[in-house]
Amino acid sequence: MDTQNTSVPPRAQSRNDGKNHPSHRTHTKRHPGGVTHDNTRHTTRFTVIGNHLTQHPDLSLLAIGLACHIQSLPTGAPVGIKTLAARFPEGPTRIAAALRELETHGYLRRIRERTPTGRLVTRTVSCNQPGRRDTASEPGETPSPPARSPTRRAATAPQQEPPRRRALPAVPKPSYTSPDLLRTATDVLAGLRREDPRLLLSATDAEHLAPGVAAWLERDLTPTAVRKALADDLPLEPLIRPAAFLAHRLTAKLPPIPPYRAPEQPPPVRHPLRNCDTCDHAYRGPDPHHCQKCAGAELPTERALPSRLYQ
């Protein structure tokens, strides 16, 4: 009778006896269809596009392609509807609709700004990650992730500081100031909203602009004339900062100082601008309470009345 050698280990049994291993079946099974990738690493002229954009569930294919094209452009490249319509076969209507989609989902922001010359322009901001305000990177560079606090593992939303309000442009200064003159200038500014509702000003804006209006009034212009000069011929587009627009107009259209009628004679005395106690109209004159019209007005006497009144 044979003796079994106990030093020889028993033959290991296969893990797949009688059935295939699931992981093996997954790796060896070939799908009859579907995409395969033949990728080569880019080293120059490439743009990093997130899958949240290329696989967005709500954006149209035109909007996704348009966003990828815009993100690949250098800073300062024109991306207006006419420019894009000239570049691609889609018409302006479809391109405008795709841009609105990108604005709705945060991939584009279009901001109206006024240049130093007073002209309104549209600035387009392309966001590669909506909701994030990281520093814009060059094509091919990935923005560095925000630093996380070592003591807090929970993800917190980045806090954004509110944008600082830009200072208003400087306005002309009058050579002579008085409370009455500044009060009249403030009344002119307050009345602009009746000319156009877009010219509604805050108290702070009116305080900044009042010296500029006073500089116009001391050039022998009536409050009505100043109001008309500031409120006429306004642009059709919305006034983002009406106070800045008025500050520019006060400086750019400041009328010259009126010449004297007799240069060989000393200039006449320039009285401060006052409001008449009777008619409440602005005037210049020696009388501190009444304008020349109200000061010279006299009630008709009995001799001056027509004779027909006695009949």
Side-chain angles (χ1 to χ4, degrees):
M1 185 172 80
D2 295 336
T3 303
Q4 184 177 5
N5 189 359
T6 58
S7 63
V8 179
R11 182 170 58 90
Q13 295 182 356
S14 173
R15 295 175 60 187
N16 297 332
D17 291 345
K19 61 180 180 179
N20 294 329
H21 192 268
S23 62
H24 179 73
R25 182 172 64 251
T26 302
H27 288 291
T28 58
K29 182 179 179 180
R30 291 183 176 273
H31 296 279
V35 65
T36 59
H37 298 279
D38 182 9
N39 295 335
T40 303
R41 183 179 179 83
H42 292 282
T43 57
T44 59
R45 294 182 58 80
F46 67 94
T47 303
V48 177
I49 304 294
N51 285 343
H52 55 84
L53 171 61
T54 58
Q55 300 177 13
H56 200 286
D58 299 323
L59 289 176
S60 65
L61 186 60
L62 176 58
I64 294 174
L66 199 56
C68 294
H69 171 72
I70 293 175
Q71 290 188 18
S72 69
L73 295 175
T75 300
V79 289
I81 296 176
K82 293 182 180 179
T83 302
L84 295 173
R87 169 66 176 79
F88 297 104
E90 288 79 7
T93 302
R94 295 185 60 191
I95 288 179
L99 292 176
R100 287 193 295 269
E101 288 185 58
L102 297 177
E103 282 190 281
T104 301
H105 293 279
Y107 288 96
L108 278 186
R109 297 196 309 272
R110 287 188 277 194
I111 304 173
R112 304 280 287 178
E113 292 184 345
R114 186 174 297 279
T115 62
T117 59
R119 180 172 174 265
L120 281 174
V121 296
T122 300
R123 184 166 63 91
T124 302
V125 180
S126 175
C127 306
N128 66 340
Q129 295 189 50
R132 297 276 300 276
R133 294 293 180 92
D134 293 343
T135 303
S137 57
E138 296 294 332
E141 297 181 0
T142 304
S144 59
R148 295 183 179 179
S149 174
T151 59
R152 297 183 62 186
R153 295 184 178 181
T156 57
Q159 297 182 356
Q160 300 177 4
E161 296 182 358
R164 295 182 179 179
R165 189 175 184 271
R166 290 177 296 172
L168 293 174
V171 297
K173 304 296 182 183
S175 58
Y176 175 84
T177 58
S178 67
D180 291 339
L181 183 63
L182 293 178
R183 190 180 304 110
T184 303
T186 304
D187 292 342
V188 171
L189 294 170
L192 291 176
R193 60 184 177 182
R194 291 191 290 268
E195 304 291 335
D196 193 308
R198 296 177 296 172
L199 297 179
L200 177 63
L201 301 173
S202 65
T204 303
D205 293 339
E207 182 180 1
H208 177 83
L209 298 174
V213 176
W216 283 53
L217 292 173
E218 73 173 1
R219 283 162 166 76
D220 291 340
L221 271 77
T222 64
T224 303
V226 177
R227 188 182 300 113
K228 181 177 178 60
L230 295 178
D232 281 0
D233 196 21
L234 295 177
L236 298 179
E237 55 267 17
L239 297 179
I240 306 301
R241 300 183 68 198
F245 173 81
L246 292 174
H248 169 75
R249 180 164 282 191
L250 285 170
T251 304
K253 294 189 174 183
L254 180 66
I257 297 177
Y260 301 120
R261 295 182 178 179
E264 66 280 359
Q265 299 178 359
V269 178
R270 293 181 60 84
H271 298 282
L273 195 66
R274 304 184 176 95
N275 281 359
C276 179
D277 293 346
T278 302
C279 64
D280 199 29
H281 287 174
Y283 73 100
R284 295 182 187 274
D287 192 330
H289 301 289
H290 302 284
C291 64
Q292 296 179 358
K293 181 179 179 181
C294 295
E298 297 180 357
L299 294 176
T301 61
E302 183 177 349
R303 294 181 180 181
L305 294 176
S307 59
R308 59 182 176 83
L309 297 178
Y310 297 96
Q311 298 176 359

